[in-house]
Amino acid sequence: MKTSTIALPLAILAATSPVAFSALEEQDKQGLRHLDKGKDKTCLKAKMRTSNDYEGKVKGTVKVCFNNPLGDDTGSFTMKVNGLPALIAGGVHIHSGTDCADAGLQGGHWWTTGQLSDPWFNMASPLAPTGTGYSTDEDGEGVAYFFFNNGYGYDDNKGHAVVIHDEVAPPLGNGDYARIACGILQ
């Protein structure tokens, strides 16, 4: 993957530190290595494909694992997907729906209301310390690696939709944050 000048998750768009950028690049590299490991009983995968009238041809994988020592409901989220718009920062989240046929069936963000707040907003929060965003290179390959806690563990996240959103809307980006890809956690 070629590195872009905006290859930063939305969680740290405001951070301009080269140290923060290098740490996140290494975090992405480490996370992508986890995609290639064997079947794990604590991990779910979603095959990501184009959805909701997006014109690109999206293909790739999201892997969500719940073997985190911070607790049963704390997961790691790894994404490697091609066919996304080039040089953008967008969001990727687990949604309440269980079908990718259209935006209505994909539902909204999946989290228990017993949590402090919705962890699926891209900015850093206690429930998603590095945010829940992805970035793409000039070829449209998107990567993400982050930790999250949506209040649900492996069993309650299984069968739910993972949605990739287009570039964030102004003033942080130039997109409309549309839903452009979807997959079901299996």
Side-chain angles (χ1 to χ4, degrees):
M1 180 173 140
K2 300 172 191 163
T3 303
S4 74
T5 57
I6 65 162
L8 293 174
L10 289 174
I12 61 155
L13 281 176
T16 56
S17 163
V19 173
F21 180 72
S22 296
L24 281 169
E25 277 189 321
E26 184 56 31
Q27 184 185 44
D28 277 349
K29 288 177 190 172
Q30 293 297 325
L32 294 176
R33 288 188 194 120
H34 294 279
L35 276 176
D36 297 325
K37 302 218 177 201
K39 183 125 176 120
D40 185 334
K41 293 179 183 175
T42 60
C43 296
L44 299 165
K45 282 188 179 180
K47 292 181 182 179
M48 303 305 292
R49 299 294 182 259
T50 302
S51 69
N52 303 314
D53 300 322
Y54 174 62
E55 293 182 10
K57 185 169 174 63
V58 176
K59 187 174 182 179
T61 305
V62 164
K63 185 174 181 180
V64 177
C65 296
F66 293 93
N67 50 2
N68 193 307
L70 299 176
D72 292 340
D73 297 341
T74 302
S76 63
F77 192 107
T78 307
M79 178 186 106
K80 184 175 182 181
V81 175
N82 294 298
L84 299 171
L87 302 174
I88 68 161
V92 57
H93 318 114
I94 299 174
H95 278 233
S96 61
T98 57
D99 194 319
C100 287
D102 62 48
L105 294 174
Q106 293 164 3
H109 293 171
W110 179 236
W111 61 290
T112 177
T113 55
Q115 295 290 46
L116 297 174
S117 63
D118 181 349
W120 298 117
F121 286 104
N122 295 344
M123 304 310 284
S125 73
L127 301 176
T130 59
T132 59
Y134 71 92
S135 59
T136 62
D137 65 12
E138 58 268 15
D139 296 322
E141 181 178 83
V143 296
Y145 183 72
F146 55 83
F147 293 100
F148 70 94
N149 183 334
N150 67 349
Y152 298 115
Y154 176 94
D155 291 329
D156 291 324
N157 280 286
K158 188 174 184 176
H160 282 273
V162 174
V163 175
I164 297 175
H165 294 268
D166 194 0
E167 185 173 15
V168 69
L172 297 177
N174 297 314
D176 61 5
Y177 216 56
R179 299 172 186 209
I180 59 174
C182 184
I184 302 298
L185 289 170
Q186 303 293 326

